[in-house]
Amino acid sequence: MNRVLILIIFLAFGLSSKAQINEVGIFAGGSNYIGDIGKTNFVNPNQVALGLIYKWNRSTRHSYRFSFTHAKIAADDADSKASGRNERGYSFKNTINEISAGFEFNFFDFDLHHFKPQTTPYVATGINYYSYNELYFFDGIVREDEKERGFSIPIILGIKSRINNDFVIGIEAGVRYTFTDNLDGSNPQNKNYTNLKFGNLNSNDWYVFSGITLTYTFGENPCFCPN
């Protein structure tokens, strides 16, 4: 966590000399997962997600964004409306630590050069590198195996507003498609536990972060003009 914070601060101050507007701030909200246990709602936060975010605005319409997010994910078959899951009665918890680099596109001009109220919807994507715990179920009880890492692809939708000369507030929800089917312990990769697999083994897991961003703007005012 401390290393990631230092990296974001280094990027922010290193890029601030290039006549761009920079944003650095926090993300606070909730998390949920979609897989083989519990509910299948795409946006249904039931755990806390907290993070740091940095944006380098390259024009009034697009920016590069970097973030670190720490979150818990959890699900319980008792909350599912599917009778098979409800009768099975599995539940689990896991921890996600995600580093993300990506691209954000504004639907309307969002010019931080002009000190006036502005609002725009936006979409973002990129690549995430995250860590989680490998899980497996034995006698109906979830157990932890090794720490694992992987990549995920984010699809983020949001809306943001400039609330004064220095701060931008936003609301966003982002689903992450992973390349694993074992955030929940349904498809353990350890060969010793292959007989313990269950659920749809042809469908990978997703996790979702939804919440509020608050960023502080700094750096030289940009000239968003063609060279």
Side-chain angles (χ1 to χ4, degrees):
M1 177 73 174
N2 290 336
R3 292 180 181 177
V4 174
L5 178 59
I6 292 171
L7 177 60
I8 290 176
I9 293 173
F10 174 79
L11 285 170
F13 284 97
L15 294 172
S16 64
S17 62
K18 295 181 178 291
Q20 305 292 341
I21 281 291
N22 304 276
E23 298 176 52
V24 62
I26 60 172
F27 168 86
S31 59
N32 65 281
Y33 117 110
I34 307 103
D36 295 299
I37 295 177
K39 295 181 177 180
T40 56
N41 308 65
F42 265 84
V43 180
N44 184 36
N46 60 1
Q47 298 290 309
V48 175
L50 298 172
L52 303 170
I53 187 168
Y54 168 74
K55 298 182 184 182
W56 182 22
N57 294 284
R58 294 288 293 172
S59 77
T60 61
R61 285 296 187 94
H62 80 282
S63 61
Y64 299 116
R65 55 184 279 165
F66 306 88
S67 64
F68 170 79
T69 308
H70 170 82
K72 301 286 186 179
I73 56 172
D76 193 327
D77 280 339
D79 299 325
S80 176
K81 295 182 179 179
S83 58
R85 295 189 179 193
N86 205 266
E87 293 171 4
R88 183 179 58 195
Y90 281 0
S91 65
F92 83 96
K93 291 183 179 181
N94 211 332
T95 300
I96 301 288
N97 288 303
E98 175 196 271
I99 298 173
S100 179
F103 174 89
E104 181 175 297
F105 175 79
N106 301 323
F107 285 85
F108 308 132
D109 283 343
F110 198 75
D111 191 348
L112 298 182
H113 194 151
H114 297 293
F115 300 132
K116 61 181 180 180
Q118 298 176 75
T119 300
T120 182
Y122 62 89
V123 61
T125 189
I127 187 72
N128 304 327
Y129 182 69
Y130 69 101
S131 67
Y132 64 99
N133 296 312
E134 270 280 312
L135 305 175
Y136 65 97
F137 278 84
F138 186 75
D139 288 339
I141 300 174
V142 67
R143 305 169 190 271
E144 289 188 6
D145 195 10
E146 299 178 348
K147 180 74 73 176
E148 190 57 81
R149 293 165 181 81
F151 291 94
S152 64
I153 304 297
I155 305 170
I156 301 169
L157 296 175
I159 185 169
K160 60 186 177 182
S161 295
R162 186 165 192 173
I163 55 178
N164 60 28
N165 291 351
D166 298 316
F167 289 96
V168 176
I169 190 168
I171 300 174
E172 67 178 41
V175 299
R176 274 77 168 168
Y177 172 77
T178 75
F179 297 94
T180 180
D181 185 32
N182 199 42
L183 295 181
D184 52 17
S186 65
N187 191 0
Q189 300 305 296
N190 190 321
K191 294 181 180 179
N192 295 322
Y193 309 131
T194 54
N195 61 320
L196 302 177
K197 296 181 180 182
F198 63 90
N200 184 357
L201 302 181
N202 296 314
S203 177
N204 289 339
D205 296 333
W206 301 67
Y207 62 94
V208 184
F209 297 151
S210 52
I212 296 172
T213 62
L214 180 65
T215 56
Y216 172 75
T217 65
F218 64 97
E220 298 179 33
N221 287 337
C223 177
F224 295 133
C225 315
N227 293 329

